[in-house]
């Protein structure tokens, strides 16, 4: 027998219904995936349509756990459509659904993933609340291990670049991290020609008329210096990064200086790089006091940071910023 008739008879008992939804993963785990179609699926479907949003949110938060128990086939047949419904539900339910995106994609077959990505990428454009866009962006880095190089290059990477131009700083910050992770993952399997193609796509950020979008390019370069082959970074990304040290906006020059000092020079390959040191030398004389300060945090031997900026063996800390490195 199924649980559904018993649940229907208790539709007015909030505590019992909520307890059932909250503990549903444990019930599925105990009964096993063999009992899903015959005993559990109809009950789960009924609960997913409950008019009380707290019931639906409870199911949303645990849906990936249930997918892992019942397997790929049952997930595609029973849970995928419910999950898409949760993604289009009210805000309180969406908050539980979006963090499960990467996990749910990983639980469906490759054939379904392409179709599913089309649906969720369209949903992104409907997220008026920046918090939803931020949650969605944090999931992008998980996609790099779930899709082919072609899909990542042609679909996921352009989406990440679009999100880097979001009007909210928190979303852009998350986009930089996801973009860096995606490029780091796929660059390991790309030849130089394909890497050049990716760099060209990044230039839409570098050439943006909006300073906070140009900042995302600088921060992305700072993240990639540790993960991309040093020779490729030096040849195809470093020149663009150094060129932005001449940007008319002080915040961009400040960001370039901080990335060169804290990220680029910390790599052995670039520790004595002539062009990097020359750029920092030029920035020492910048009319903006913060830019000049960040550019001087180095010694003649290029060890970072210098001991004269430390005291009592405490970690080095930059002084309070007078500029917002990433604008809101």
């Amino acid at each position: 027998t199924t649980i559904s008739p018993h649940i229907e008879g208790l539709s007015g008992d909030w505590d019992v219904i909520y307890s059932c939804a909250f503990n549903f993963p444990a019930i599925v785990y105990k009964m096993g995936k063999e009992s899903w179609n015959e005993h559990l699926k109809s009950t789960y479907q009924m609960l997913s349509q409950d008019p009380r949003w707290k019931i639906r949110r409870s199911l949303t938060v645990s849906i990936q756990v249930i997918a892992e128990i019942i397997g790929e086939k049952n997930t595609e047949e029973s849970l995928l459509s419910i999950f898409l419904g949760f993604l289009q539900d009210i805000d309180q339910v969406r908050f539980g659904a979006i963090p499960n995106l990467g996990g749910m994609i990983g639980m469906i077959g490759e054939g379904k993933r392409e179709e599913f990505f089309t649906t969720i990428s369209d949903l992104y454009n409907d997220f008026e609340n920046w918090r939803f866009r931020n949650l969605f962006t944090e999931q992008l880095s998980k996609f790099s291990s779930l899709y082919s190089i072609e899909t990542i290059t042609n679909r996921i990477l352009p989406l990440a670049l679009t999100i880097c131009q979001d009007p909210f700083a928190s979303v852009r910050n998350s986009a930089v991290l996801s973009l860096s992770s995606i490029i780091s993952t796929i660059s390991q399997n790309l030849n130089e020609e394909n890497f050049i193609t990716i760099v060209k796509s990044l230039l839409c950020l570098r050439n943006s008329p909006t300073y906070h979008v140009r900042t995302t390019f600088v921060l992305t370069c700072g993240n990639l210096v540790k993960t991309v082959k040093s020779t490729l970074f030096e040849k195809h990304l470093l020149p663009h990064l150094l060129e932005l040290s001449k940007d008319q906006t002080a915040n961009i020059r400040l960001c370039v200086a901080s990335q060169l000092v804290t990220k680029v020079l910390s790599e052995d390959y670039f520790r004595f790089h002539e062009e990097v040191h020359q750029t920092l030398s030029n920035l020492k004389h910048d009319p903006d006091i913060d830019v000049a300060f960040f550019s001087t945090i180095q010694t003649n031997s290029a060890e970072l940071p210098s001991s004269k900026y430390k005291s009592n063996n405490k970690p080095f800390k930059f002084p309070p910023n007078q500029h917002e490195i990433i604008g809101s």
Side-chain angles (χ1 to χ4, degrees):
T1 61
T2 65
I3 308 174
S4 301
H6 304 284
I7 296 296
E8 290 175 352
L10 297 169
S11 59
D13 194 326
W14 155 256
D15 290 334
V16 174
I17 302 297
Y18 182 79
S19 179
C20 180
F22 185 86
N23 292 290
F24 212 88
I27 297 172
V28 177
Y29 177 78
K30 183 65 176 179
M31 298 183 67
K33 68 177 182 180
E34 297 80 10
S35 302
W36 173 255
N37 286 315
E38 184 177 355
H39 302 294
L40 301 173
K41 181 171 72 172
S42 60
T43 303
Y44 191 87
Q45 291 173 337
M46 187 192 69
L47 290 172
S48 70
Q49 298 171 11
D50 194 282
R52 290 161 292 196
W53 64 265
K54 289 186 178 181
I55 301 293
R56 304 196 303 277
R57 185 177 66 178
S58 182
L59 296 178
T60 300
V61 172
S62 62
I63 193 169
Q64 180 185 337
V65 177
I66 294 178
E68 292 173 355
I69 297 172
I70 67 176
E72 179 182 306
K73 182 180 179 181
N74 289 328
T75 297
E76 291 181 0
E77 294 177 351
S78 307
L79 291 188
L80 198 56
S81 59
I82 294 175
F83 182 64
L84 288 174
F86 287 153
L87 288 171
Q88 301 174 69
D89 210 316
I90 64 173
D91 289 358
Q92 291 89 337
V93 178
R94 279 180 165 183
F95 270 121
I98 298 173
N100 283 315
L101 268 173
M104 286 299 291
I105 292 177
M107 291 307 303
I108 60 178
E110 294 183 6
K112 283 280 187 180
R113 288 178 188 173
E114 296 291 338
E115 178 184 347
F116 188 71
F117 181 78
T118 300
T119 302
I120 62 175
S121 61
D122 290 340
L123 277 176
Y124 172 81
N125 297 322
D126 297 331
F127 291 151
E128 296 181 2
N129 188 324
W130 69 267
R131 292 177 178 84
F132 293 143
R133 300 199 300 274
N134 191 47
L135 288 172
F136 178 90
T137 304
E138 291 173 348
Q139 295 294 303
L140 283 182
S141 59
K142 300 179 181 179
F143 296 173
S144 57
S145 61
L146 300 172
Y147 286 95
S148 65
I149 296 294
E150 181 180 0
T151 299
I152 294 172
T153 304
N154 297 332
R155 304 187 68 185
I156 298 177
L157 191 59
L159 178 59
L161 290 170
T162 299
I163 301 174
C164 281
Q165 303 175 56
D166 193 276
F168 282 83
S170 293
V171 180
R172 296 195 302 273
N173 287 341
S174 296
V176 166
L177 293 176
S178 292
L179 180 63
S180 303
S181 176
I182 292 169
I183 295 176
S184 298
T185 299
I186 64 177
S187 65
Q188 307 303 319
N189 301 314
L190 296 179
N191 56 36
E192 184 172 1
E193 182 179 352
N194 291 330
F195 184 76
I196 292 174
T197 301
I198 291 176
V199 171
K200 288 180 178 178
S201 67
L202 289 175
L203 294 184
C204 69
L205 305 179
R206 183 252 181 272
N207 298 325
S208 172
T210 307
Y211 92 89
H212 63 241
V213 177
R214 297 197 300 278
T215 302
T216 63
F217 175 83
V218 177
L219 295 175
T220 301
C221 289
N223 290 336
L224 292 178
V225 70
K226 294 182 177 297
T227 55
V228 171
K229 292 180 181 178
S230 297
T231 52
L232 290 179
F233 184 92
E234 178 184 32
K235 186 175 181 181
H236 302 294
L237 283 174
L238 185 61
H240 297 292
L241 179 61
L242 297 182
E243 184 63 27
L244 284 173
S245 68
K246 304 173 185 177
D247 195 277
Q248 62 181 355
T249 304
N251 276 12
I252 298 296
R253 303 195 303 274
L254 174 64
C255 191
V256 171
S258 66
Q259 294 302 301
L260 290 178
V261 170
T262 61
K263 300 288 185 66
V264 177
L265 284 181
S266 65
E267 294 298 302
D268 290 339
Y269 185 91
F270 295 104
R271 187 172 294 275
F272 302 102
H273 197 281
E274 183 178 353
E275 292 182 34
V276 173
H277 281 279
Q278 183 59 53
T279 298
L280 287 172
S281 178
N282 295 337
L283 289 173
K284 287 179 184 179
H285 306 288
D286 194 275
D288 185 273
I289 187 173
D290 287 336
V291 176
F293 175 82
F294 271 85
S295 305
T296 58
I297 308 177
Q298 58 172 319
T299 65
N300 293 332
S301 60
E303 293 180 357
L304 304 174
S306 171
S307 58
K308 69 178 181 179
Y309 291 102
K310 296 181 180 180
S311 62
N312 301 324
N313 295 320
K314 294 181 179 179
F316 174 82
K317 293 183 179 180
F318 291 120
N321 289 339
Q322 296 180 14
H323 293 275
E324 182 190 10
I325 292 182
I326 299 184
S328 58

